[in-house]
């Protein structure tokens, strides 16, 4: 079974959670898994009873096109639960985020939510974060080269300014993304704290101790993990 089918499986499981808990306000993260989730959710009547907060314009457009009620991004109230994806998930349920460039908005939603639920396919599960992907860091444009040098010194990592075919990638907040290539992280929280205190840094793509539940698509089944469960994630 491919990753799309696994994303669809975890999306169906997430919809079951919504039916059971009947929240009033739900946050929507970003990325391809969220696109699958929003499309699956729109087919269920429960979606018409919920107000949604989208972390990106792309998800907002898809949700509204499918008939979901999406609140204004500047004035939303605390959220009952947020569903989001991740670029990597380690065996302590820490997350690597920011591959799509929406890490700051996703952080705000996560911090504003009573429950933060992560949907991933099996390829996102790793022993340690930054095993296969760089660490995204959102930074202000002013002094970006100096900020990049400071981050490189702090982390011993190779720092590159994220670009797209049309030029430098700009986040929906008007900032830049620095991608930091690192050795796999032994202590992601310590790395987060050091980088977050660096002037020029807006947000760091390490979401530590935030996930209340992680749903992992594995073939034809879904594995459900929370911080209180003792069963580890199958490591790769």
């Amino acid at each position: 079974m491919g990753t799309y089918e696994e994303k669809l499986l975890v999306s169906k499981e997430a919809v079951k959670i919504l039916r059971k808990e009947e929240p009033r306000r739900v946050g929507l993260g970003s990325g391809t898994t969220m696109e699958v989730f929003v499309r699956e959710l729109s087919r269920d009547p429960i979606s018409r009873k919920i107000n949604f907060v989208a972390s990106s314009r792309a998800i907002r457009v898809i949700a509204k096109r499918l008939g979901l009620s999406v609140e204004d991004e500047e004035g939303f109230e605390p959220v009952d639960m947020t569903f989001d994806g991740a670029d990597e998930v380690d065996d302590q349920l820490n997350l690597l985020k920011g591959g799509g460039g929406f890490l700051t908005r996703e952080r705000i939603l996560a911090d504003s939510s009573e429950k933060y639920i992560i949907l991933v396919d099996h390829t996102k599960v790793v022993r340690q974060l930054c095993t296969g992907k760089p660490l995204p860091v959102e930074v202000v444009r002013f002094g970006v080269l100096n900020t990049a040098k400071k981050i490189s010194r702090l982390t011993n990592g190779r720092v590159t300014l994220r670009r797209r075919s049309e030029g430098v990638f700009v986040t929906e907040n008007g900032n830049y993304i620095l991608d930091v290539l690192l050795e796999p992280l032994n202590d992601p929280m310590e790395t987060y704290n050091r980088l977050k205190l660096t002037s020029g840094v807006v947000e760091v793509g390490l979401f530590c101790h935030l996930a209340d539940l992680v749903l992992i698509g594995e073939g034809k089944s879904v594995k459900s993990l929370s911080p209180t469960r003792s069963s580890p994630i199958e490591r790769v």
Side-chain angles (χ1 to χ4, degrees):
M1 182 173 286
T3 56
Y4 172 80
E5 288 77 13
E6 292 179 347
K7 291 174 182 180
L8 186 58
L9 277 177
V10 294
S11 296
K12 290 178 182 291
E13 195 66 29
V15 172
K16 291 179 185 177
I17 293 173
L18 286 174
R19 284 199 219 106
K20 179 181 178 182
E21 303 210 12
E22 297 186 341
R24 296 178 58 193
R25 184 173 288 105
V26 170
L28 301 172
S30 302
T32 56
T33 302
M34 283 298 99
E35 291 179 12
V36 175
F37 171 60
V38 170
R39 295 183 195 283
E40 185 64 24
L41 171 61
S42 69
R43 298 186 177 98
D44 195 286
I46 188 65
S47 66
R48 304 307 188 254
K49 302 178 181 180
I50 300 171
N51 289 328
F52 294 93
V53 181
S55 62
S56 69
R57 295 188 188 115
I59 291 296
R60 180 183 182 87
V61 167
I62 292 171
K64 294 188 76 171
R65 185 182 299 146
L66 292 169
L68 304 188
S69 174
V70 183
E71 294 189 4
D72 181 81
E73 64 181 23
E74 295 180 1
F76 68 87
E77 297 180 11
V79 176
D80 297 311
M81 60 178 62
T82 286
F83 294 88
D84 203 351
D87 301 316
E88 290 181 346
V89 181
D90 73 9
D91 55 8
Q92 300 301 310
L93 306 190
N94 298 311
L95 313 171
L96 181 69
K97 299 275 296 160
F102 306 105
L103 58 161
T104 298
R105 294 177 177 221
E106 289 169 338
R107 170 82 65 177
I108 291 169
L109 265 184
D111 287 343
S112 302
S113 302
E114 288 293 322
K115 291 184 179 179
Y116 188 48
I117 301 173
I118 301 300
L119 315 179
V120 293
D121 63 75
H122 80 279
T123 67
K124 304 300 178 65
V125 180
V126 296
R127 182 186 298 272
Q128 295 169 291
L129 297 184
C130 296
T131 292
K133 296 180 180 179
L135 170 62
V137 181
E138 185 165 350
V139 298
V140 297
R141 298 192 198 191
F142 182 79
V144 63
L145 296 180
N146 185 51
T147 303
K149 290 177 182 177
K150 287 189 288 186
I151 290 174
S152 181
R153 287 196 299 268
L154 275 173
T155 63
N156 263 339
R158 182 163 62 85
V159 182
T160 53
L161 180 63
R162 185 177 296 183
R163 296 178 181 275
R164 293 291 185 262
S165 57
E166 62 273 16
V168 177
F169 176 83
V170 180
T171 72
E172 291 187 5
N173 306 314
N175 299 315
Y176 287 161
I177 297 283
L178 296 174
D179 289 310
V180 188
L181 191 62
L182 300 167
E183 294 295 321
L185 298 180
N186 293 316
D187 188 345
M189 191 72 207
E190 193 268 342
T191 300
Y192 172 81
N193 286 334
R194 278 192 292 129
L195 289 174
K196 185 68 173 177
L197 291 173
T198 303
S199 58
V201 169
V202 177
E203 192 52 83
V204 180
L206 294 170
F207 286 31
C208 303
H209 315 304
L210 285 176
D212 296 295
L213 180 67
V214 177
L215 301 177
I216 305 168
E218 294 186 335
K220 296 182 180 180
S221 63
V222 175
K223 180 179 287 187
S224 174
L225 293 171
S226 64
T228 57
R229 290 185 56 175
S230 58
S231 58
I233 297 177
E234 182 180 350
R235 296 175 176 178
V236 296

